[in-house]
Amino acid sequence: MSTLPTASGSFGDKPQLTFPEGDAPGGLQVQVLEEGTGPVVEAGRTIVVNYLGQTWGGHVFDNSYDRGQTIDFPIGVGAVIGGWDKGLVGRNVGDRVLLSIPPEHGYGMRGVPQAGIGGGDTLVFVVDVVGVR
């Protein structure tokens, strides 16, 4: 039985992931690292987040912390990968969430080669839910 990576820092800090031995767990894994007390994120709303994305045991392929600005997008409506839609709806503003997203809820067998995401890669994100509107 594999466990999830651990993330350094707290809400608002750029996290660093430490991976356990072994393979990624199957299925979508959602772990709330810090509980927020803000409004609930509902499907169809626009969510505002900071995030770091890394392949399982591999490289960081994207993060908003280094850019110094959040991103926002509609949540729960298929505008982003399924793991984000399924893992972030129902969270609260102020939550820091770790998502382990298998390929079927991520980029599938195509991957995103230009980002260094291979077909079949499990993706790990740390997401700080900054706002919802």
Side-chain angles (χ1 to χ4, degrees):
M1 167 95 184
S2 64
T3 58
L4 292 171
T6 55
S8 68
S10 56
F11 189 92
D13 298 330
K14 179 183 173 183
Q16 197 164 5
L17 291 170
T18 303
F19 287 83
E21 292 292 316
D23 295 333
L28 175 65
Q29 305 290 322
V30 180
Q31 182 181 38
V32 177
L33 301 175
E34 262 184 68
E35 292 273 349
T37 56
V40 173
V41 174
E42 297 168 349
R45 303 285 296 274
T46 295
I47 189 172
V48 182
V49 301
N50 266 314
Y51 68 94
L52 176 133
Q54 186 167 349
T55 55
W56 184 274
H59 73 290
V60 173
F61 56 82
D62 195 11
N63 89 84
S64 64
Y65 299 93
D66 287 351
R67 290 194 292 274
Q69 59 189 52
T70 57
I71 68 158
D72 56 87
F73 48 83
I75 193 70
V77 294
V80 291
I81 60 174
W84 280 53
D85 276 346
K86 291 177 179 67
L88 296 176
V89 169
R91 304 274 69 90
N92 290 79
V93 172
D95 281 2
R96 172 169 269 211
V97 184
L98 180 93
L99 300 170
S100 175
I101 303 177
E104 64 269 23
H105 296 298
Y107 295 108
M109 290 304 148
R110 288 191 319 271
V112 183
Q114 63 272 28
I117 299 170
D121 278 355
T122 292
L123 310 177
V124 179
F125 288 92
V126 176
V127 181
D128 288 341
V129 182
V130 176
V132 66
R133 53 180 190 265

